Structure formats: structure tokens, C-alpha cells
Amino acid sequence: MKQGWVTRRLGMEPGDQWKKEIVAGAISYFAVVYIVMVNATILADAGMPLQAAMVGTLLTSIAGCLLMAFGGKSPIIVVPGMGINAFFTYTLVHSMKLSWQEALAVVSVTGVLFAVVAFTSLYKMISEAIPKNLQHGITVGIGLFLTFIGLQKSGIVIAHQTTFVAIGHFNDPGVITACVTLVIALILFIRNVQGGLLISILAGTGLAYVLGAVNPGEPVSALEALRQYGGLFGELSLVKLADLAFWIAVFLLLLIVVFENIGLITAQTHLIGRPQRFKGSLRALSISTVLAGVFGSSPPVAAAETTAGIAAGGRTGLTPLVTAVLFGATFFFIPLLGYIPDSAIAPILIIIGGLMVQSVKDMDFSDFTEAFPAFLIMVMIPFTYSIVDGMAFGFIAYPVAKLAAGQGKQVPKVMYGIAILFLANFVLHGIL
């Protein structure tokens, strides 16, 4: 197509077809729009109003996709990340006792540091300093954590007086709904049905109302949702800026967003045969993270569902531009999204957890000094119900294991510093 100013800004090259890009953008939207409901549900657990969290999720996604379209010039879709949203709610708010306003400040401050990393060569230094086994262990641990949360929200697994968990009651309509939704989601995912997770949520919602698992509530109009959002936009609080716990939270979140996005963007830019778009894409995502805290959402990521759009022919920034427009239209459906119950959303967490656990295949278990710290991270994240505590055990164990094996010089100085920070965090919270 003829090269104009707009097409150049979107990174379109001779041979790129705008019709394919538009189709790819639409497919990407339907593959990832489920995140609006799922992310808002997790943010609501942090104390945010559900409909307001939906608005925050949508604005973060729109801004991220637009920045990726014109800054990254890549077909990468930017939405709040699964796993990172769990860190936001269940670690920053529940475990570290930050308010959601303070946690949003953590997100924006992390975004500023992420931008410093992305606009310099620091991202290479950080990525190379952390052993790959520990990076994969974090992904696996968060995947198991999400699975556990999904099982709890679905009622398949419940707390019990004599045991930590127990199987739920399978004659309960909510549990039946969750199980059927999980089966539908699994089948559609394995069959590579476009928008399969969204279809599963809608089917599960319909079944929940048929079985009486949920009762229709008072409808919330789009205007009411925007009114609620007025109490969320720009509400980040910097009152804990001088506290050590705040900066530990920032540091841990920074590690997660850097690791995850470097891996995702590298894979996605190579998939379209344009690795030169990596830097611009990483920088666009870092700015999106700053805005996420302002808009009232957990940090965004380069969505794994981007591959659906790439498979449909997406190669340029026109793909996320189309997705951003469709996200804008989703505002009109917020009243309907509020009717979706946990029993229809929880199975999606289980599916996503299963996907994240696949990173275990990339781990090296031949060296016990490398394997055991990663193993601790994998099991301690779900067992302690805290991503930060789970990471702490692994990052402390790593230099200890290496020193015990007489391999202390192999440990990067950055790793010793991280281990000391984690120990300080334990002492600060009176765990040791």
C-alpha cells in the first residue's frame, strides 16, 4: 500500500496489507477481551469498585495499545497482565498491607523505573544477572498461585477446619457451573477456537443463571460506572514513599514486569520477523505501566494472546490500533459485564495457570544448586499465598546453595544484593 504519514507511524512496510491488519486487530480483541472481566474481579479483591476497575482496565488497555501502535509499531496487544494482577492484589495489598491506593503508586513508580530500564541498556544487565531457572520458577509459581485462586473462587477447593483445603460440594450450582465452564474452556482452547475464553465466560454466565448459582443484581449503567471511576482515577497515594517496604514492593514488581515483558516481546517481535521493533515496543510498554497506576489498574504486559493476531497476518501497529478502538466500544457493555459471576471467571484463571506452568520445561534440573532455589520459588508462592515471600525463599537460597558448593564467585553481585533485600523484608515484617 502507498506509504503515508500514518502508515509510517504504524510501522507499515511495502507488502503489509491493511485488510489483514484490521482482521488481526479484531481477532486479537476477541482473544483478549476476557481480561476486562477477569482483571477487574481480581482488582475488586483489593477493595476497588468492580465497575470502576473495569473502566480502569479498559483505559489502561486502550492507552497501552495506542502507545504500542505508534511507539512500538508492532502488532503486540497491551493489557493488564495475569499473574501480575495477582501480585498486586494478593501480595501488595493482602500480604504487604498496602492500601490499593498505595499499591497503585507502586505501579506508577515501577513504571518510571521500568522506563529508565527500557530507555537504557539496564534491561540487559538485569535480565542477565538473574538466573534463568529463577525467572522460570517465578512464572511457574505464579501459575500455580493463579490456579489455586481459581479453584478457590470456583468452590472446587474450599478451606476446611481440619485440613488446609478440601474438595467442595459438587451438588452446589456454583461448583457445577465452574466445572462445566472449565470443561468448555479446555475444549475450546485445545481446539484453538478464536475467542474461546470469552465464549467460555459467556457460556458459564448463562449456565449460572439457569442453575440459580447467582441472582440478578441491580443493573449498573455505563454512566454510573464512570461516576464510580471518578473515585479511582488518579487516586494513587505516595504516603509510603519513604518506607522500605514500599521500595521492596517496587523492586519486586520491577523484576516481574521486566522479566515477563522482555521474554514476551522478544518472542513476538521475532515471530513477525522484525526483531528491530523490540526496543520501541519495550519502551511503549514501560510508559503504559506508568499510566496504569494513574488509570487505576495493575501493570500491563505484552499479551500472550498477541500470537492470535500475528497468526491472522498482523505485522504492524495497525493491529493494536484496531484493538484499541474495539476496547473503546466495550465501554457500552460495562453494564452487562457486571452480571458475570466468579463461577464463570474462575475457570479461566485455572486455564491461564496451566499455561504459565509450562515454563517448567525450560528449567535445568541437572544442577541441584540451580534447581532447588527455583523449586522453592515454585512451591512457596502458592503455599505461602504470597508471591513476594515465595520469591524470597528462592532468591535467598540461591547464593546459599552456591556458597555451600564452593561456587560463590559464580553468583552475580546483584543476586547478593537481592538476597539481602529479601532478608531485610523478612526482618521488617517480623517473620524471622
Side-chain angles (χ1 to χ4, degrees):
M1 65 178 293
K2 186 178 180 180
Q3 289 287 298
W5 181 85
V6 174
T7 56
R8 287 198 302 272
R9 291 296 299 169
L10 293 172
M12 298 195 75
E13 301 176 359
D16 291 331
Q17 301 178 33
W18 64 270
K19 290 183 179 179
K20 281 189 175 181
E21 298 289 334
I22 291 175
V23 171
I27 289 175
S28 297
Y29 167 79
F30 285 107
V32 80
V33 68
Y34 73 89
I35 198 68
V36 177
M37 297 81 77
V38 177
N39 190 63
T41 300
I42 292 178
L43 294 181
D45 284 350
M48 297 182 185
L50 179 63
Q51 279 76 21
M54 289 182 185
V55 176
T57 299
L58 280 171
L59 288 176
T60 299
S61 301
I62 292 170
C65 286
L66 289 176
L67 283 166
M68 188 60 69
F70 293 101
K73 302 179 182 180
S74 301
I76 297 171
I77 307 305
V78 179
V79 294
M82 295 301 302
I84 298 181
N85 52 11
F87 181 87
F88 179 93
T89 293
Y90 303 108
T91 296
L92 297 186
V93 177
H94 290 187
S95 295
M96 300 187 75
K97 307 303 180 184
L98 298 175
S99 67
W100 60 261
Q101 293 91 341
E102 293 161 354
L104 289 176
V106 170
V107 172
S108 285
V109 172
T110 297
V112 172
L113 296 180
F114 186 14
V116 172
V117 169
F119 281 84
T120 64
S121 60
L122 283 174
Y123 69 88
K124 289 183 180 179
M125 296 173 58
I126 294 176
S127 180
E128 292 171 359
I130 310 300
K132 296 297 181 183
N133 258 24
L134 297 190
Q135 295 184 35
H136 294 311
I138 293 169
T139 301
V140 174
I142 293 176
L144 292 172
F145 189 40
L146 278 177
T147 301
F148 189 34
I149 292 170
L151 289 170
Q152 286 184 308
K153 281 185 171 294
S154 65
I156 296 174
V157 167
I158 59 175
H160 194 270
Q161 292 181 345
T162 56
T163 58
F164 183 60
V165 293
I167 300 299
H169 302 289
F170 283 90
N171 59 346
D172 181 275
V175 176
I176 295 173
T177 298
C179 290
V180 173
T181 304
L182 179 59
V183 171
I184 294 173
L186 180 62
I187 293 173
L188 294 180
F189 184 84
I190 292 175
R191 301 287 296 180
N192 291 317
V193 175
Q194 296 295 341
L197 297 182
L198 174 62
I199 295 171
S200 304
I201 290 174
L202 296 178
T205 299
L207 181 61
Y209 283 97
V210 169
L211 296 179
V214 62
N215 296 316
E218 288 294 323
V220 176
S221 66
L223 289 177
E224 175 61 20
L226 289 174
R227 188 192 67 77
Q228 291 183 12
Y229 180 66
L232 181 61
F233 177 77
E235 286 297 309
L236 64 172
S237 171
L238 295 171
V239 296
K240 294 287 184 69
L241 194 62
D243 290 1
L244 177 60
F246 181 90
W247 288 102
I248 289 175
V250 168
F251 181 73
L252 296 176
L253 187 57
L254 180 64
L255 289 180
I256 295 173
V257 296
V258 169
F259 293 156
E260 183 164 354
N261 287 303
I262 285 177
L264 286 167
I265 294 176
T266 298
Q268 291 159 355
T269 52
H270 276 82
L271 195 58
I272 62 173
R274 299 174 185 179
Q276 69 274 16
R277 302 281 169 86
F278 172 85
K279 285 186 179 179
S281 299
L282 189 68
R283 291 171 179 177
L285 195 51
S286 68
I287 297 172
S288 301
T289 305
V290 179
L291 295 177
V294 177
F295 288 141
S297 174
S298 53
V301 298
E305 291 84 357
T306 291
T307 53
I310 292 175
R315 295 292 181 273
T316 74
L318 182 54
T319 294
L321 177 60
V322 171
T323 304
V325 172
L326 293 174
F327 271 130
T330 308
F331 278 107
F332 297 102
F333 297 99
I334 285 179
L336 298 177
L337 299 181
Y339 287 114
I340 298 175
D342 280 353
S343 57
I345 292 176
I348 308 305
L349 300 181
I350 298 172
I351 294 290
I352 294 171
L355 292 174
M356 296 180 72
V357 168
Q358 292 183 63
S359 291
V360 72
K361 69 179 184 297
D362 298 318
M363 298 175 66
D364 178 16
F365 290 99
S366 60
D367 183 348
F368 196 68
T369 64
E370 295 281 341
F372 186 71
F375 165 75
L376 280 181
I377 291 176
M378 287 189 292
V379 298
M380 294 305 288
I381 286 177
F383 286 172
T384 61
Y385 213 76
S386 169
I387 296 172
V388 63
D389 289 343
M391 290 175 62
F393 279 100
F395 277 78
I396 293 171
Y398 187 83
V400 172
K402 288 296 185 181
L403 287 169
Q407 301 172 2
K409 293 183 179 180
Q410 296 181 13
V411 181
K413 293 180 180 178
V414 172
M415 281 298 298
Y416 285 113
I418 294 174
I420 291 171
L421 279 175
F422 275 122
L423 279 171
N425 182 50
F426 276 150
V427 172
L428 183 67
H429 288 84
I431 296 176
L432 291 179

